[in-house]
Amino acid sequence: AQSVTQLGSHVSVSEGALVLLRCNYSSSVPPYLFWYVQYPNQGLQLLLKYTSAATLVKGINGFEAEFKKSETSFHLTKPSAHMSDAAEYFCVLTGGFKTIFGAGTRLFVKA
Amino acid sequence: KAGVTQTPRYLIKTRGQQVTLSCSPISGHRSVSWYQQTPGQGLQFLFEYFSETQRNKGNFPGRFSGRQFSNSRSEMNVSTLELGDSALYLCASSSTGTAVETQYFGPGTRLLVL
């Protein structure tokens, strides 16, 4: 069975602080993992993806994520939050003809 | 390249009616997937089409159906609408729909059922 768990439905950080959004997965087949961002009233936009080429993946807007097989995790980080990062973030697992979304984490950035 | 487009963007219907939503994928993309997004259930997979064939289907009742045309444009239809069908319906396209590919999402159609 495949599943994705995002820890924390809401995360609040101050501008300039580290952003850490957590994602754990379960998969019986080699997983492909994605992080997408959704701004209000918009569709989802790809931030980055893991496709087994490298465990540390760099994405757009300064985000990166590290695939840790031993911990079944794919946490998203950004060293310094910006106000424009306020949005909802989804961790997504694909494999075996299935696409499974995490519940999403809404990121708030305080000035 | 133009992105994924969805029409209409907003729609209001009443219970019992039916609705058809349209999605035009990125040029050259042959896989189109549909998702339902609600505050309570999050993002859920409806179905995926590739070359006019439904390849994969989520756990939705038969009232939800779709099709894909030879130009890869896709439509989804919901018959006998229920209040719980109120949601943002997102479509996404990719080249061939393999697990490793990025999906490109449209802005969605927001459906309100009264």
Side-chain angles (χ1 to χ4, degrees), chain A residues 32 34 36 38 41-44 46 49 51 90 94-95 97 99 101, chain B residues 9 35 37 43 45 56 88 90 99-103 105-107 110:
Chain A
Y32 298 109
F34 303 73
Y36 285 87
Q38 186 178 32
N41 297 314
Q42 293 187 28
L44 279 69
L46 178 73
K49 66 179 180 182
T51 60
F90 293 92
T94 65
F97 296 106
T99 300
F101 287 80
Chain B
R9 289 293 311 277
Y35 300 90
Q37 186 176 24
L43 271 153
F45 171 73
N56 205 1
L88 180 66
L90 292 166
V100 70
E101 288 181 75
T102 299
Q103 294 185 61
F105 286 81
R110 188 165 294 281

Side-chain angles (χ1 to χ4, degrees), chain B residues 1-94:
Chain B
K1 269 187 184 176
V4 177
T5 58
Q6 292 187 246
T7 56
R9 289 293 311 277
Y10 302 91
L11 205 47
I12 300 175
K13 292 285 188 178
T14 56
R15 274 183 303 174
Q17 288 187 310
Q18 75 159 14
V19 67
T20 299
L21 312 181
S22 180
C23 171
S24 292
I26 289 172
S27 178
H29 285 188
R30 292 161 63 193
S31 170
V32 174
S33 297
W34 287 90
Y35 300 90
Q36 181 195 64
Q37 186 176 24
T38 60
Q41 300 296 319
L43 271 153
Q44 293 184 286
F45 171 73
L46 280 156
F47 28 66
E48 186 248 353
Y49 286 87
F50 178 78
S51 291
E52 302 179 67
T53 300
Q54 186 182 91
R55 281 199 302 198
N56 205 1
K57 189 177 190 308
N59 221 12
F60 278 81
R63 300 185 297 107
F64 291 82
S65 64
R67 59 178 175 168
Q68 187 180 34
F69 301 94
S70 58
N71 62 358
S72 294
R73 190 177 71 84
S74 177
E75 289 181 347
M76 70 162 277
N77 183 277
V78 188
S79 62
T80 319
L81 284 165
E82 300 177 0
L83 295 180
D85 297 333
S86 294
L88 180 66
Y89 290 88
L90 292 166
C91 119
S93 76
S94 65

Side-chain angles (χ1 to χ4, degrees), chain A residues 18-82:
Chain A
L18 171 72
V19 176
L20 171 60
L21 304 182
R22 301 176 188 272
C23 172
N24 287 91
Y25 71 92
S26 172
S27 179
S28 55
V29 298
Y32 298 109
L33 291 156
F34 303 73
W35 276 99
Y36 285 87
V37 61
Q38 186 178 32
Y39 298 100
N41 297 314
Q42 293 187 28
L44 279 69
Q45 178 186 1
L46 178 73
L47 279 176
L48 49 80
K49 66 179 180 182
Y50 166 75
T51 60
S52 76
T55 56
L56 183 61
V57 183
K58 293 188 185 298
I60 62 170
N61 301 338
F63 285 94
E64 65 180 38
E66 186 170 8
F67 174 75
K68 292 187 177 181
K69 186 176 180 180
S70 60
E71 298 177 11
T72 60
S73 69
F74 190 56
H75 301 331
L76 181 71
T77 60
K78 181 174 180 177
S80 177
H82 191 272

